[in-house]
Amino acid sequence: MENAWPPWARRGLGPERERCPVPPAGEPAPSTGEPAPPTGKSGSWSGTRLPWVSTLAVTAVVMVGSGFAGHDQPGRVPLDAFARVLLFAGAALLLFRHRCPRTVALGTALATAVYLAAGYPYGPVFLTLALGAFAAIVTGHRKVAWCALGGVWVWHLLVVHWLYRRLPPSHDGPASWEQEFFVLAWVVAVAALSELVRVRREQLAKARAERAAAERRRADEERLRIARELHDVLAHSISVINVQAGVGLALLDTDPEQARSALTTIKGASKEALGEVRQVLDTLRTPGDAPRSPAPGLDRLPELTEQAAGAGLAVEVITEGAPATLAPGTDLAAFRIVQEALTNIIRHSGSRTARVLLVHTPGALQIRVDDDGPATAAADGPAGGGNGLVGMRERAAALGGSVEAGPRPDGGFRVRARIPLPGTHDRGRSPDTDTVTPAATEEES
């Protein structure tokens, strides 16, 4: 509350930035709601302009208007030099209402109280009090503003009803209570208007903060989507390249034809990876435009199995049910889940065979990928530890589905996913059961 004291009482309270607090750069500035500019070494608002124009206008209105008001109130004390000083001081304080609103509110209240006690004419002097309280309320210093307004009103009651015999003007009588109700209504109106403006500014600031948070959330989601897409694209292709490179190096001297076949597979996998990465980057370079090439889907499973075969993994694909036309997002998620599951088999399993089961039901697409194991460790480090399973779960969860992965009781590893299809109802089987269909049971046995 040190800022609530007038300047002469705050000289020993510490540095200037403690007497008139300044919000950090980027936070809403007092009374404006705009982000505060960077502060200098002194802690002052080096980039904030003082309201010179409005303050000069108010000063002119107060000085000139009080003169005219004095002509219509012959019973009051005529304006003299001290009155002009009080009027000018109250108006000049408004120059700092954006930086030190509490000090300005109490300073204008003090100047008004002294002005009334001296018996000077009523008039625009109340304008400075109203503006000082307004600046304090809209910046959140409500108690200080209410104390300033209430204190002036209580002081006015004392002056016009009890202290008028000891204060100028001489031979003055008590004021009517109707006048006090008018003054009270004026005080309440000023406070109510200030509160409405404060609430409105808080609502606008909250709306801006919510929009900024939504934009940050969308940006985070987009970064996550891009990272997941790049991971799925690169993990599979680089795994194939890594396996084939090992085969090529091992057979370079003993079996040149097999080494040449491995190099051909590396060339094809790298070309496809570059194409998909280029597609993702083209999407980033042209925001708001649709990709020129279609996203991969289940129709590209033959290419995927061919790449896996080049890496020494024989993949059997079984489809059950009537395939429905999938939405692009669902089709892409299903393809990436199968791709990542096969990539994990290539990298972390000693099995050279894998089975992919796609079950199309009226309400969902169920995917199951099995290998017979056993699990192995890569030559350069332990298996696992990547983001493949996390990415699969995120893709399924984004569409309202789920992914389960773990060892099979009879050995090997299984990835099971369920992706609901919008606009339909699943009257089929639950993905929680190991046996998805009778045909699946036969295939396992």
Side-chain angles (χ1 to χ4, degrees):
M1 291 295 294
E2 59 266 22
N3 191 32
W5 296 91
W8 54 265
R10 295 186 289 109
R11 292 176 181 173
L13 294 180
E16 180 66 23
R17 60 183 178 182
E18 295 182 1
R19 300 197 295 268
C20 294
V22 178
E27 293 188 2
S31 79
T32 63
E34 300 297 331
T39 58
K41 294 182 179 180
S42 63
S44 62
W45 283 6
S46 57
T48 302
R49 296 179 180 178
L50 295 175
W52 287 99
V53 176
S54 59
T55 302
L56 289 176
V58 171
T59 303
V61 170
V62 170
M63 301 297 288
V64 176
S66 297
F68 285 105
H71 295 301
D72 298 332
Q73 302 176 51
R76 306 295 294 177
V77 176
L79 294 177
D80 53 17
F82 183 64
R84 296 292 181 182
V85 169
L86 289 175
L87 293 173
F88 181 80
L93 281 174
L94 297 176
L95 187 64
F96 306 98
R97 63 185 182 272
H98 294 167
R99 297 189 176 184
C100 303
R102 292 176 293 181
T103 300
V104 172
L106 293 180
T108 54
L110 178 62
T112 304
V114 175
Y115 181 91
L116 295 177
Y120 295 120
Y122 298 104
V125 64
F126 295 106
L127 178 61
T128 58
L129 174 64
L131 291 177
F134 177 86
I137 289 178
V138 298
T139 53
H141 306 296
R142 305 170 62 193
K143 293 182 179 179
V144 174
W146 279 95
C147 289
L149 290 173
V152 171
W153 180 66
V154 171
W155 174 250
H156 181 262
L157 284 178
L158 293 175
V159 169
V160 300
H161 290 283
W162 288 280
L163 302 178
Y164 61 90
R165 297 184 183 88
R166 300 180 178 87
L167 297 174
S170 58
H171 310 294
D172 191 17
S176 63
W177 286 101
E178 290 79 3
Q179 177 183 355
E180 296 308 317
F181 286 119
F182 172 78
V183 175
L184 178 61
W186 177 85
V187 171
V188 172
V190 170
L193 177 61
S194 303
E195 292 288 351
L196 288 176
V197 174
R198 180 188 63 81
V199 171
R200 179 58 179 168
R201 291 191 177 188
E202 288 181 353
Q203 292 175 346
L204 292 176
K206 182 179 179 180
R208 285 194 295 268
E210 291 176 351
R211 286 196 298 269
E215 292 176 358
R216 289 194 298 270
R217 184 168 58 252
R218 286 193 296 268
D220 292 339
E221 292 174 353
E222 184 64 14
R223 283 194 295 269
L224 177 61
R225 185 192 68 80
I226 294 170
R228 185 168 55 232
E229 194 71 18
L230 289 175
H231 172 271
D232 293 344
V233 169
L234 297 177
H236 176 75
S237 299
I238 293 179
S239 296
V240 172
I241 291 172
N242 181 57
V243 171
Q244 291 301 315
V247 172
L249 288 174
L251 302 178
L252 184 61
D253 297 327
T254 60
D255 193 348
E257 289 299 325
Q258 186 67 25
R260 184 178 294 108
S261 176
L263 293 176
T264 303
T265 303
I266 290 175
K267 180 180 178 181
S270 61
K271 181 179 179 180
E272 181 180 358
L274 288 174
E276 294 197 18
V277 170
R278 188 178 296 112
Q279 178 182 344
V280 175
L281 296 180
D282 288 342
T283 304
L284 293 178
R285 293 191 185 100
T286 57
D289 297 339
R292 296 183 179 180
S293 57
L298 292 179
D299 57 339
R300 292 184 54 183
L301 279 183
E303 300 178 22
L304 192 62
T305 58
E306 184 178 350
Q307 290 181 0
L313 179 66
V315 180
E316 179 185 7
V317 179
I318 303 174
T319 302
E320 296 186 359
T325 301
L326 302 178
T330 303
D331 204 14
L332 174 62
F335 176 81
R336 293 304 188 197
I337 289 173
V338 174
Q339 183 184 51
E340 182 60 35
L342 295 179
T343 300
N344 287 339
I345 295 174
I346 294 174
R347 295 175 61 188
H348 308 305
S349 175
S351 175
R352 294 298 87 193
T353 60
R355 295 177 297 278
V356 177
L357 175 64
L358 303 176
V359 181
H360 296 269
T361 66
L365 170 64
Q366 301 187 44
I367 303 171
R368 196 177 70 191
V369 182
D370 292 281
D371 73 273
D372 297 328
T376 61
D380 57 348
N387 297 317
L389 292 178
V390 175
M392 286 191 286
R393 292 191 177 100
E394 289 176 349
R395 284 187 181 278
L399 298 171
S402 60
V403 170
E404 297 178 0
R408 298 191 314 176
D410 55 347
F413 198 81
R414 169 175 293 167
V415 174
R416 186 169 47 206
R418 179 183 180 277
I419 304 177
L421 303 180
T424 59
H425 300 281
D426 189 3
R427 299 187 302 271
R429 310 146 189 92
S430 169
D432 295 333
T433 59
D434 289 340
T435 303
V436 180
T437 62
T441 305
E442 296 175 2
E443 182 271 330
E444 279 191 13
S445 61

